[in-house]
Amino acid sequence: MQQIEHRYGDGIADPFRSVRCRGGRQRDSDAVRRTPRARLPVASRGAMRPAMATGELRFERQHLLGIEGLEAGEIEYLLDLADGFVELNRQSEKKLQLLRGRTLVNLFFEPSTRTQTSFELAGKRLGADVVNMAVARSSVVKGETLIDTAMTLNAMHPDLLVVRHHESGAVALLARHVRCAVVNAGDGAHEHPTQALLDALTIRRRKGRIAGLTVAICGDILHSRVARSNILLLRTMGARVRVVAPPTLLPAAVESLGVEAVTDMRRGLEDADIVMMLRLQSERMQGSLVPSVREYFHFFGLTHDKLRAARPDAMIMHPGPMNRGVEIDGPVADDINRSAILDQVEMGVAVRMAVLDALTRRLRANR
Ligand code: NCD
């Protein structure tokens, strides 16, 4: 990463006091402006998965394109469903036949290891035929448009299409041109709904609830679809959300999403129940938005020392891939008492099974 002029520490007198957002507006860095929203009932672990047994249809949407617009009841339903799959995945016999005869196509236009593997395992464990389309070797590199790719795939009658794309909105556009159910596996800096759901499941299982918790989401908020989907979900479920980042990595008017924006890491972590770290999304940055990796780590990297500001039982999360020594110190990531990072990976498979199950219930009902 290039050096840029301003520095967080010694260069300029407290650059965090007054923040210039993208869009040029001045605002107080510690301004708290929360969108008033009714507190929702605690999403408890108690009501585990009645839905799995009854096969009831409580998620009526054709696609999962984002968290935006989902109601608390729909989120809870998916989490309850996923809870049951967690137990299934821990057994030696993991295979169900719920999606037998159904075809799932993974269409990833961006590199991915955990998300693509997670969807592949989820589909296979439910009995679907899963195809991973190798975009790098597909007609896309020969200039085919997204819509042509979608219509070609549609002609092969898949039942589920899981799509990741570098452009925000591309997955929703594609969904308008196919007949099958579409799941957004991450579109640009827009949304990554299954990541937010798996994070919610991890929190709910560890803390027993989501409502009333204070969640600090730290790092590159500006470019993060994970941050956006998490903010939407956590606010809907009644958590308090704080975004913690240098001013250059905060979106303009982020408070309009009902979060508190803080540019000092220790202040941002104060009394947090959950500390969610994010990678610097260099691939989406235009120009350099941090002075240097070393400086970034010094001010915003999560260390045991900074973590002292959070609650003693604060849980650490990261969607991966992690950059140790950049946004998180290795020993913190590996701290088995605090880190839930591998739990998140485990919950990912269960949540994706729940989403695939929920989206195909209607198909199965009309079989
Ligand atoms: C995230 C993504 O792709 O948005 N990763 C993931 O899905 N596990 C976060 C990231 O890339 O930093």
Side-chain angles (χ1 to χ4, degrees):
M1 248 173 288
Q2 273 172 274
Q3 288 285 124
I4 54 173
E5 256 174 50
H6 65 271
R7 296 169 66 81
Y8 300 145
D10 30 335
I12 297 176
D14 195 358
F16 300 140
R17 185 151 296 141
S18 172
V19 180
R20 181 169 291 282
C21 303
R22 281 169 43 119
R25 194 171 56 81
Q26 287 288 129
R27 64 175 159 76
D28 183 278
S29 60
D30 286 336
V32 181
R33 247 173 288 154
R34 297 205 189 93
T35 307
R37 197 190 272 262
R39 286 278 171 265
L40 294 153
V42 172
S44 73
R45 288 167 75 181
M48 263 195 203
R49 277 241 59 230
M52 193 179 197
T54 59
E56 62 185 306
L57 229 170
R58 274 171 44 210
F59 188 85
E60 305 260 7
R61 296 175 192 264
Q62 195 195 342
H63 308 296
L64 179 67
L65 299 176
I67 297 296
E68 189 166 13
L70 292 191
E71 290 178 5
E74 293 176 290
I75 293 168
E76 259 179 73
Y77 170 71
L78 291 174
L79 299 183
D80 289 345
L81 208 51
D83 256 325
F85 289 123
V86 174
E87 307 315 320
L88 178 82
N89 287 335
R90 289 178 180 173
Q91 293 168 20
S92 53
E93 177 57 58
K94 302 173 180 59
K95 191 119 173 169
L96 296 180
Q97 295 299 330
L98 282 173
L99 295 191
R100 212 178 112 206
R102 305 285 170 192
T103 309
L104 182 160
V105 178
N106 265 332
L107 182 59
F108 278 60
F109 292 89
E110 264 189 2
S112 165
T113 33
R114 81 203 69 219
T115 306
Q116 185 169 337
T117 311
S118 185
F119 271 109
E120 184 175 355
L121 279 177
K124 286 183 171 164
R125 287 189 183 164
L126 293 178
D129 295 315
V130 181
V131 177
N132 290 313
M133 203 175 129
V135 174
R137 277 177 280 137
S138 74
S139 311
V140 173
V141 290
K142 299 181 185 166
E144 186 172 79
T145 68
L146 180 66
I147 306 300
D148 284 334
T149 307
M151 289 175 50
T152 305
L153 286 173
N154 191 49
M156 297 181 199
H157 299 288
D159 301 286
L160 290 148
L161 206 48
V162 176
V163 189
R164 170 170 285 192
H165 199 278
H166 41 271
E167 294 288 346
S168 301
V171 182
L173 176 70
L174 188 144
R176 290 204 286 276
H177 291 84
V178 294
R179 276 189 304 272
C180 61
V182 175
V183 182
N184 181 1
D187 63 326
H190 178 228
E191 280 233 39
H192 192 352
T194 57
Q195 180 68 45
L197 287 164
L198 76 88
D199 289 340
L201 185 64
T202 309
I203 295 172
R204 200 178 78 163
R205 289 175 67 96
R206 282 258 189 140
K207 298 283 180 191
R209 67 195 168 110
I210 296 174
L213 295 179
T214 299
V215 183
I217 308 180
C218 314
D220 185 358
I221 311 293
L222 180 64
H223 301 99
S224 176
R225 53 198 176 204
V226 174
R228 203 180 130 74
S229 290
N230 260 300
I231 290 169
L232 293 167
L233 185 148
L234 291 165
R235 293 292 300 134
T236 302
M237 302 308 284
R240 269 187 303 275
V241 181
R242 226 181 259 152
V243 289
V244 187
T248 48
L249 296 179
L250 280 174
V254 66
E255 296 96 335
S256 63
L257 293 174
V259 302
E260 177 188 2
V262 180
T263 53
D264 175 81
M265 185 77 168
R266 280 191 181 76
R267 227 252 346 92
L269 295 186
E270 248 164 49
D271 297 323
D273 297 284
I274 310 288
V275 180
M276 194 181 282
M277 300 308 300
L278 299 173
R279 183 177 65 89
L280 287 177
Q281 315 262 310
S282 331
E283 71 277 19
R284 280 190 253 287
M285 286 184 197
Q286 278 155 11
S288 179
L289 298 176
V290 298
S292 71
V293 165
R294 234 174 112 241
E295 182 127 0
Y296 182 79
F297 180 71
H298 180 70
F299 285 93
F300 291 96
L302 186 65
T303 55
H304 273 118
D305 182 43
K306 292 196 191 87
L307 196 56
R308 266 188 230 126
R311 284 177 59 92
D313 60 348
M315 178 173 94
I316 300 155
M317 302 178 76
H318 194 306
M322 252 187 301
N323 288 144
R324 289 165 187 259
V326 181
E327 73 274 9
I328 191 163
D329 202 12
V332 178
D334 299 331
D335 183 342
I336 50 167
N337 298 316
R338 313 294 292 271
S339 169
I341 296 171
L342 294 177
D343 282 19
Q344 289 172 269
V345 179
E346 182 187 5
M347 296 309 124
V349 180
V351 152
R352 284 156 186 144
M353 288 169 84
V355 168
L356 300 180
D357 177 8
L359 287 174
T360 50
R361 276 181 188 223
R362 200 183 357 204
L363 296 177
R364 299 194 319 254
N366 305 331
R367 207 192 265 272

